[in-house]
């Protein structure tokens, strides 16, 4: 399952299913997941479609750190952390592996989102998610390496074609690696099971 805002919906979510290929069944909401709080609410509605997913790849942040009116960010640090940890707890309890993609940077010309805020919120939430066993996909650093190339110049926030390509590859690669680790876990359990068989073949 892919969860996230428009960086997912009109970004990496367009290519990741194709990159993963027929071995993977991918669900993603056909709506923008927007704020962390909106994603938290959406988990209830999307739960049936997410049933059977073993891996969740998730991002939230750009909507939360947006400042449209000059009176502060839409979501305070405390509220962001609270909503994100509630999402994390739900996902960790229900699915085998959870991956969080850090919030991507914006162009310097963006009037409403600032990279200092994005970095601060990333730095705030990432250690707390790691403590819960969530894997981090650092899309922030990928895009930051060449913002002029990877962010669209017409809106200064969404991924360009090059940005979509590089982020999609990173998302697909980390999902594939996590999936392989799950297969290894299953293989290990099978081996342990066989090693502990007694003489008549019944498991110990």
């Amino acid at each position: 399952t892919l969860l996230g805002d428009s960086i997912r919906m009109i970004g990496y979510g367009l290519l990741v299913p194709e990159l993963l290929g027929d071995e993977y069944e991918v669900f993603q909401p056909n709506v923008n997941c927007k704020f962390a709080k909106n994603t938290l609410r959406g988990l209830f509605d999307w739960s049936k479609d997410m049933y059977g997913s073993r891996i969740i790849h998730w991002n939230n942040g750009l909507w939360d750190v947006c400042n449209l009116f000059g009176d502060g960010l839409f979501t305070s640090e405390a509220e962001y952390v609270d909503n994100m940890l509630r999402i994390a707890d739900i996902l960790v309890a229900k699915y085998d592996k959870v991956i969080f993609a850090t919030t991507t940077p914006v162009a310097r010309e963006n009037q409403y989102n600032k990279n200092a805020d994005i970095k601060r919120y990333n730095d705030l939430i990432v250690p707390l998610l790691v403590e819960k066993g969530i894997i981090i996909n650092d899309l922030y650093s990928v895009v930051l390496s060449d913002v002029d190339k990877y962010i669209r110049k017409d809106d200064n926030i969404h991924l360009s074609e090059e940005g979509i390509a590089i982020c999609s590859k990173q998302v697909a690669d980390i999902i594939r690696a996590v999936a392989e680790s799950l297969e290894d876990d299953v293989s290990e359990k099978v081996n342990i099971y066989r090693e502990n068989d007694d003489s008549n073949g019944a498991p110990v």
Side-chain angles (χ1 to χ4, degrees):
T1 291
L2 306 179
L3 299 174
D5 55 30
S6 52
I7 298 303
R8 183 270 310 174
M9 188 177 180
I10 60 172
Y12 64 78
L14 300 175
L15 292 185
V16 166
E18 179 184 342
L19 291 175
L20 289 175
D22 294 338
E23 294 181 10
Y24 293 79
E25 182 180 348
V26 179
F27 164 74
Q28 52 186 319
N30 60 2
V31 296
N32 190 328
C33 298
K34 299 182 180 180
F35 304 95
K37 195 165 192 174
N38 189 70
T39 299
L40 177 61
R41 170 63 181 83
L43 289 178
F44 183 85
D45 297 328
W46 307 320
S47 60
K48 288 183 181 178
D49 293 308
M50 293 171 67
Y51 181 80
S53 289
R54 299 192 68 193
I55 300 169
I56 310 297
H57 185 282
W58 152 52
N59 77 276
N60 277 121
L62 282 174
W63 284 70
D64 295 279
V65 302
C66 190
N67 183 353
L68 288 181
F69 305 105
D71 60 349
L73 307 186
F74 273 142
T75 307
S76 69
E77 291 184 3
E79 185 182 2
Y80 182 69
V81 167
D82 181 62
N83 289 329
M84 293 289 281
L85 293 184
R86 289 176 70 185
I87 294 168
D89 287 340
I90 292 167
L91 296 179
V92 167
K94 295 182 69 174
Y95 305 97
D96 291 335
K97 295 289 183 180
V98 181
I99 305 163
F100 174 71
T102 51
T103 301
T104 48
V106 298
R108 290 181 298 276
E109 295 79 8
N110 190 305
Q111 300 177 59
Y112 307 114
N113 292 72
K114 299 302 176 186
N115 288 333
D117 296 323
I118 292 170
K119 184 179 186 303
R120 189 171 81 255
Y121 275 53
N122 278 334
D123 290 346
L124 189 64
I125 197 63
V126 163
L128 301 176
L129 297 180
V130 169
E131 286 178 7
K132 293 180 178 293
I134 290 174
I135 299 156
I136 304 301
N137 181 12
D138 192 9
L139 292 186
Y140 174 84
S141 294
V142 171
V143 176
L144 190 67
S145 68
D146 196 339
V147 171
D148 290 338
K149 181 178 180 181
Y150 296 139
I151 294 296
R152 283 167 47 174
K153 292 177 172 53
D154 61 341
D155 64 17
N156 299 314
I157 190 167
H158 292 108
L159 298 175
S160 65
E161 288 186 16
E162 294 89 351
I164 291 172
I166 195 169
C167 287
S168 297
K169 183 180 185 307
Q170 174 133 327
V171 172
D173 285 350
I174 197 167
I175 289 172
R176 198 176 287 111
V178 170
E180 288 172 0
S181 76
L182 287 174
E183 290 174 6
D184 290 343
D185 288 347
V186 170
S187 176
E188 239 175 73
K189 289 174 184 176
V190 170
N191 288 335
I192 292 169
Y193 174 86
R194 286 174 179 164
E195 288 168 7
N196 287 311
D197 280 355
D198 65 14
S199 57
N200 64 9
V204 175

